[in-house]
Amino acid sequence: MAPILLLAACVLASAFPTRADAVGLGLRITSDRDRIPADGRSQVAITVEVTDAYGAPVPDGTRVHLATTLGRIVSPVQTVGGLAQSVLTAAHTPGIAIVSAMAGASRASLQVEFLPQPGSRRPAARILALSAKEISYSADKRVFIAMENAELSSEALSISADGLQYDMERNVVCAQ
């Protein structure tokens, strides 16, 4: 009779979720400054706080991927005590960098402005808005992929499609 009770206790215990079974991570991304010179050398410390579904720090070694629309960022990084740290290096081009952090299915972002240097010519701003039901970004290829009701717009044009790709390096849009 005892083995049956033991088996029932094991089944009952496994029916309750544990911290390891929790779905969904909480992400909070911060920077030590929100403006730096667009000199190709200045740096901003980026910190990502990662918590599990219960609000507790995730295990050490949890991978966090980072991407930026301007400048360079060290990625991927791993958590220690629930924190992942990286460095954003300024571009030579003034503008606003959107820095995104991704862990599991969770995402968070912030903005850092790269300011023009005194006496430098500021190039024309290239501001694009991208919206869709699903958006992903490849940091190594610098390509955005938008699926389902995708829309890319700027001052000069607006493109709506079922899906589209935007290559930031070549400034090319492919839509379907």
Side-chain angles (χ1 to χ4, degrees):
M1 197 65 136
I4 295 174
L5 291 175
L6 180 59
L7 178 60
C10 290
V11 171
L12 183 60
S14 67
F16 294 99
T18 65
R19 208 171 265 188
D21 298 329
V23 177
L25 299 175
L27 296 182
R28 188 172 71 92
I29 184 171
T30 58
S31 62
D32 65 341
R33 296 181 285 165
D34 59 359
R35 293 180 173 162
I36 59 172
D39 59 9
R41 298 182 316 270
S42 295
Q43 295 184 326
V44 173
I46 303 292
T47 302
V48 182
E49 180 183 10
V50 188
T51 56
D52 65 17
Y54 300 101
V58 295
D60 289 354
T62 300
R63 289 176 69 110
V64 177
H65 295 272
L66 296 150
T68 182
T69 58
L70 195 59
R72 296 181 317 275
I73 194 157
V74 176
S75 178
V77 292
Q78 295 184 351
T79 60
V80 174
L83 300 176
Q85 298 187 338
S86 186
V87 175
L88 171 66
T89 303
H92 289 281
T93 306
I96 295 177
I98 300 171
V99 180
S100 299
M102 296 147 282
S106 299
R107 290 174 174 39
S109 62
L110 62 76
Q111 295 182 356
V112 176
E113 185 175 8
F114 298 153
L115 302 169
Q117 295 294 292
S120 68
R121 260 187 68 224
R122 184 175 181 137
R126 184 178 80 174
I127 299 174
L128 299 172
L130 178 62
S131 64
K133 184 173 181 182
E134 295 180 34
I135 298 175
S136 59
Y137 177 71
S138 169
D140 55 330
K141 295 181 182 178
R142 295 184 49 89
V143 172
F144 280 96
I145 300 171
M147 301 300 295
E148 295 188 47
N149 301 322
E151 186 171 322
L152 179 71
S153 58
S154 69
E155 283 185 10
L157 71 112
S158 180
I159 300 170
S160 296
D162 289 334
L164 62 83
Q165 276 184 274
Y166 173 59
D167 183 327
M168 293 176 54
E169 290 294 318
R170 297 183 305 161
N171 200 27
V172 172
V173 177
C174 297
Q176 62 182 38

